Amino acid sequence: MSQRELTEITVVGDDDTGLVARVTSLLFERGINIEDLDQAVRDDLFRMTMRVDTAEMETTREALRDDLDDLGDDLGVDVRVRFPADRETRRVAVLVTKESHCLRRLCEAAAAGDLDAELSVVIGNHPDLQPVATEYGIPFHDVGDPDGNPDEDELLDLLERYDVDLVALARYMRILGPNVVFRYEGRIINVHPSLLPAFPGAKAYRQAKEAGVRIAGVTAHYVTTDLDQGPIIAQRAFNVPDGASVETLKERGQPLEAEVLLEAVRLHLADDIAVHRGRTELRDDAAEERDDPDGGYRLGMGPELDRATPDEPTDGPVARPTSGDD
């Protein structure tokens, strides 16, 4: 049996009848088997993501791209095709606002050859972090107005121009609209300063302080159109001292934000993580690495937490009382 070659096809555009049938019919006619199909509608915007087996298709890659482009023009939708071996080195875009710690950590990893990808572009909704990008020789583009409101059409143009495979939100303080999220579904990773699902939305550290938590943390997750509810990839936690200020929580959390975002980006780039029913799972080979103390992934706290966690008492069978004399 030949090996499967799973290719991703994404269709985004105005919701209309017949879209799915037209695309699937084109694929069927070219001997392409659909392995997985997911679709959604948000704010009248339609998105369909398919993973199809192109190993034995009855056409060429170039012809398939052209046919899907023509169909997209006919239907008034955007159709994009990603073959599994389009390039050896993948390209990452980093979206930023004003906080530099996550961006700098990603830049350091890439400069050290520790990322297995190229940081192709930094895009901000403010110009503040251009000096960091320039320091590492990475192009910078500001897509925000004076109030930081981004031009998402310009953002999409830049992501397409730089042929981006993954978008990392390095403390990007704006909510991405469906027009962006749908086009990069499963390829946008955000870092949030709380142990999601606790304290979603803005001012998470302040929310944690006001709630009086004793343990706070940070989360890296895939972005969906539901704010801070995408599949969780990795988390880190830290103790909250008595009387800690919001600034103290930020000082403790920011290094962990940078660490957990880098870990999540590495996992994604290595294809070591899969999403199933809204939850992330390590693939088999990656799970073996995770159990290797010399080099595995660290999705949560380290093994020291396992050692400190008691294993008893737990609920077990309860003996029935007996009656009678001793």
Side-chain angles (χ1 to χ4, degrees):
M1 295 178 61
S2 63
Q3 288 189 334
R4 294 189 306 168
E5 183 179 275
L6 292 183
T7 295
E8 182 181 276
I9 299 174
T10 304
V11 181
V12 178
D14 292 337
D15 189 22
D16 199 0
T17 57
L19 281 175
V20 177
R22 293 283 300 277
V23 177
T24 55
S25 294
L26 184 150
L27 298 175
F28 176 77
E29 291 166 0
R30 286 152 183 78
I32 298 172
N33 187 51
I34 298 173
E35 299 286 338
D36 182 60
L37 186 152
D38 182 65
Q39 55 185 313
V41 177
R42 187 69 177 259
D43 298 335
D44 294 323
L45 188 68
F46 171 83
R47 185 269 302 162
M48 177 171 65
T49 302
M50 295 182 290
R51 287 172 177 81
V52 303
D53 186 0
T54 53
E56 298 183 358
M57 65 180 179
E58 299 167 2
T59 185
T60 65
R61 292 184 176 187
E62 293 74 16
L64 179 61
R65 287 188 194 275
D66 291 342
D67 291 343
L68 286 171
D69 282 343
D70 291 343
L71 180 61
D73 291 341
D74 186 36
L75 295 172
V77 297
D78 178 31
V79 184
R80 301 192 181 188
V81 185
R82 289 170 48 84
F83 290 100
D86 275 350
R87 72 173 62 87
E88 292 183 3
T89 301
R90 284 185 281 183
R91 299 173 180 174
V92 180
V94 186
L95 271 58
V96 298
T97 296
K98 294 183 177 182
E99 297 180 23
S100 66
H101 54 287
C102 289
L103 170 62
R104 189 170 289 280
R105 186 68 186 93
L106 289 171
C107 290
E108 289 170 352
D114 195 25
L115 196 57
D116 195 26
E118 170 189 302
L119 291 190
S120 297
V121 62
V122 177
I123 303 172
N125 64 315
H126 287 282
D128 299 54
L129 297 186
Q130 181 167 359
V132 178
T134 301
E135 177 184 344
Y136 288 91
I138 303 171
F140 181 92
H141 297 269
D142 178 11
V143 299
D145 66 13
D147 295 322
N149 299 308
D151 182 336
E152 290 202 340
D153 289 334
E154 184 180 357
L155 171 59
L156 284 170
D157 287 344
L158 287 168
L159 296 179
E160 184 171 5
R161 183 198 311 174
Y162 285 94
D163 201 11
V164 166
D165 298 288
L166 176 67
V167 180
L169 307 186
R171 300 298 286 135
Y172 180 68
M173 307 302 288
R174 282 291 187 272
I175 298 172
L176 292 175
N179 204 30
V180 177
V181 174
F182 277 174
R183 282 172 167 79
Y184 291 88
E185 187 93 6
R187 293 189 286 135
I188 306 175
I189 294 176
N190 181 48
V191 61
H192 182 76
S194 81
L195 290 172
L196 292 174
F199 313 132
K203 302 185 185 301
Y205 287 129
R206 180 168 297 280
Q207 291 184 64
K209 172 179 170 51
E210 292 175 351
V213 301
R214 291 298 186 175
I215 296 175
V218 302
T219 302
H221 66 98
Y222 284 114
V223 172
T224 66
T225 53
D226 296 312
L227 179 63
D228 295 332
Q229 294 182 44
I232 291 171
I233 303 172
Q235 296 182 302
R236 300 288 188 274
F238 60 89
N239 287 320
V240 178
D242 285 341
S245 65
V246 173
E247 201 56 42
T248 298
L249 267 63
K250 287 183 179 180
E251 290 172 358
R252 291 197 166 203
Q254 285 183 347
L256 296 179
E257 292 172 21
E259 178 183 310
V260 80
L261 178 61
L262 176 60
E263 180 83 328
V265 167
R266 283 174 173 157
L267 273 163
H268 179 92
L269 291 172
D271 293 321
D272 282 342
I273 197 165
V275 178
H276 181 64
R277 295 183 178 178
R279 293 171 57 91
T280 56
E281 298 175 353
L282 279 178
R283 301 187 192 277
D284 291 342
D285 291 346
E288 292 175 6
E289 289 186 16
R290 176 196 58 194
D291 295 331
D292 176 6
D294 295 325
Y297 291 116
R298 186 178 155 209
L299 303 184
M301 299 301 292
E304 63 275 8
L305 181 61
D306 292 331
R307 292 192 292 269
T309 301
D311 57 10
E312 59 179 358
T314 61
D315 287 341
V318 178
R320 293 180 176 275
T322 59
S323 59
D325 298 331
D326 292 336

